[in-house]
Amino acid sequence: MRETTDNSRRDRSVALWLLVCCGLVFAMVVLGGVTRLTGSGLSMVDWRPLMGVLPPLSDAEWQRVFEMYQQTPEFHKVNSAFGLHDFKSIFWLEYLHRLLGRTIGLAFLVPFLVFIARGYIRRESWPKYLLMFVLGGLQGLLGWYMVKSGLVDRPHVSQYRLTAHLVAAFLIYAYMFWVAMSLLFPTAPTAGKHPLYVRTLGLFTLVCITIVSGGFVAGLKAGKIYNTFPLMGDSLVPPGLLALDPAWRNLFENTATVQFDHRWLAITTFVLILIYWYRARKVQMPSRTRPAVNALMHTAVLQVVLGISTLLFAVPVFLGAAHQAVAMLLFTIVLYVLHSLRRV
């Protein structure tokens, strides 16, 4: 009995650590959105994973970093009037974004080693935690790969690389969150899935697709056009949705098509969440699930309001960042519901 209690206490400690890491990743995603929305993401033109911890500390160092920035397409085509003071205003956000990434690495690695040394994490579980760490390192590399795409010819990062960077962050977050929930709410391996599990999985998939679509909206700055709702300009279906050839390119490279897709994916997701919530009220559920289903509905309403407001006001920084943050909150809630129904 005492051994079971000790194991439960250890699992709770590991789960709490993972949830703290999830919180840091959440903050990282939001800060990354603010960095993008303020045009700060291309201000640091080199990547030094270890030596880049310290910012410029002298006037000479600041001048050196600024001169590097002056060689970039963004400076020549967008910010040619920038002086050193203006450069500092965009440098610090990107610096904080990268610093937070390094902080997450330390916040993961140090407790992980401590938990291993104290026997809190069983040997057979080491690989999944090592995978989390490796994915985090690869995410940093992917972030630099994204930034490099904006340092060549165009002063904008590739929408493909930006979306991949976003998806990778959500994947790492989801992996850590799922493992944490499994530690906090253990169930018998022989338990069966709840009747709503398959529908919840479908809903989760749709939320993920909508988030991916949002990544392409962000990468193409598609929220800057057709700032009307529900119409796009004068019609529900704007002209030029299939302007690019071959046709599949319109899904990822045509600004109007990308916004059109995101609108209707978001509306479809919202409607299905409302239907899911209404039907779930009549179904027997685990005690921890029903409050989450209610939260899912409330968060979906908030997200729709934020999405429409962000569009109508042409993506101001605060609304754009809030829309991205609530998207991650919605993702978290539906993932929590999915986990709670996997074995009952």
Side-chain angles (χ1 to χ4, degrees), residues 175-186:
Y175 186 25
M176 292 193 298
F177 185 83
W178 189 272
V179 172
M181 291 299 101
S182 298
L183 292 171
L184 289 174
F185 303 104

Side-chain angles (χ1 to χ4, degrees), residues 9 19 53 65 79 84 126 142 160 174 177 194 196 267 293:
R9 179 177 58 83
L19 291 176
V53 174
V65 174
N79 296 329
L84 182 58
W126 290 4
L142 181 56
Y160 293 101
F177 185 83
H194 190 278
L196 276 181
I267 291 169
V293 172

Side-chain angles (χ1 to χ4, degrees), residues 10-328:
R10 292 172 181 176
D11 286 348
R12 284 196 301 271
S13 297
V14 174
L16 178 61
W17 158 62
L18 288 175
L19 291 176
V20 169
C21 290
C22 284
L24 290 173
V25 173
F26 193 113
M28 185 74 168
V29 170
V30 176
L31 181 57
V34 174
T35 301
R36 172 182 53 80
L37 290 165
T38 56
S40 305
L42 297 177
S43 58
M44 295 180 68
V45 301
D46 61 346
W47 188 53
R48 297 177 294 166
L50 297 178
M51 301 306 294
V53 174
L54 295 177
L57 298 176
S58 66
D59 291 341
E61 186 66 11
W62 272 113
Q63 191 60 43
R64 183 189 69 82
V65 174
F66 181 44
E67 288 174 359
M68 292 172 63
Y69 177 70
Q70 288 176 310
Q71 307 305 311
T72 66
E74 182 175 78
F75 179 81
H76 289 296
K77 298 178 181 180
V78 180
N79 296 329
S80 58
F82 265 29
L84 182 58
H85 178 75
D86 303 303
F87 169 69
K88 288 181 180 181
S89 69
I90 62 172
F91 175 91
W92 283 115
L93 270 175
E94 175 62 11
Y95 170 76
L96 289 174
H97 183 59
R98 297 191 187 189
L99 183 62
L100 181 56
R102 294 180 173 93
T103 302
I104 293 172
L106 288 175
F108 185 91
L109 181 60
V110 174
F112 173 57
L113 295 176
V114 171
F115 283 138
I116 285 180
R118 298 183 64 179
Y120 278 41
I121 299 177
R122 291 174 286 275
R123 184 180 294 272
E124 60 270 19
S125 297
W126 290 4
K128 63 184 176 186
Y129 293 96
L130 289 172
L131 178 59
M132 293 176 193
F133 185 70
V134 170
L135 288 174
L138 291 176
Q139 172 69 335
L141 185 62
L142 181 56
W144 173 240
Y145 181 63
M146 175 192 70
V147 169
K148 282 185 65 177
S149 67
L151 301 176
V152 184
D153 299 312
R154 300 186 311 127
H156 307 290
V157 300
S158 160
Q159 70 271 28
Y160 293 101
R161 298 186 190 184
L162 183 146
T163 304
H165 190 46
L166 179 69
V167 169
F170 272 78
L171 176 64
I172 295 167
Y173 176 88
Y175 186 25
M176 292 193 298
F177 185 83
W178 189 272
V179 172
M181 291 299 101
S182 298
L183 292 171
L184 289 174
F185 303 104
T187 56
T190 56
K193 291 179 172 55
H194 190 278
L196 276 181
Y197 178 83
V198 174
R199 291 183 183 179
T200 310
L201 180 60
L203 192 61
F204 175 72
T205 303
L206 185 57
V207 168
C208 291
I209 293 171
T210 306
I211 289 170
V212 172
S213 170
F216 281 97
V217 170
L220 289 172
K221 295 182 171 60
K224 298 288 188 178
I225 64 170
Y226 291 117
N227 300 113
T228 55
F229 189 87
L231 300 180
M232 294 181 69
D234 298 323
S235 61
L236 280 173
V237 182
L241 291 184
L242 296 175
L244 302 181
D245 189 55
W248 65 264
R249 288 179 56 206
N250 291 281
L251 297 173
F252 311 107
E253 300 176 18
N254 185 324
T255 309
T257 308
V258 166
Q259 190 195 117
F260 177 82
D261 291 345
H262 188 61
R263 283 183 181 224
W264 287 103
L265 280 168
I267 291 169
T268 302
T269 302
F270 176 62
V271 170
L272 289 179
I273 286 175
L274 292 182
I275 294 172
Y276 178 89
W277 170 80
Y278 179 78
R279 292 181 175 176
R281 295 188 311 161
K282 305 173 183 178
V283 177
Q284 187 69 29
M285 287 183 164
S287 58
R288 70 183 178 104
T289 307
R290 191 165 300 284
V293 172
N294 290 331
L296 179 64
M297 186 270 292
H298 296 144
T299 306
V301 172
L302 175 60
Q303 180 67 338
V304 167
V305 172
L306 280 172
I308 295 172
S309 301
T310 301
L311 180 67
L312 294 179
F313 289 97
V315 199
V317 173
F318 174 76
L319 286 177
H323 187 48
Q324 185 163 309
V326 176
M328 199 162 194

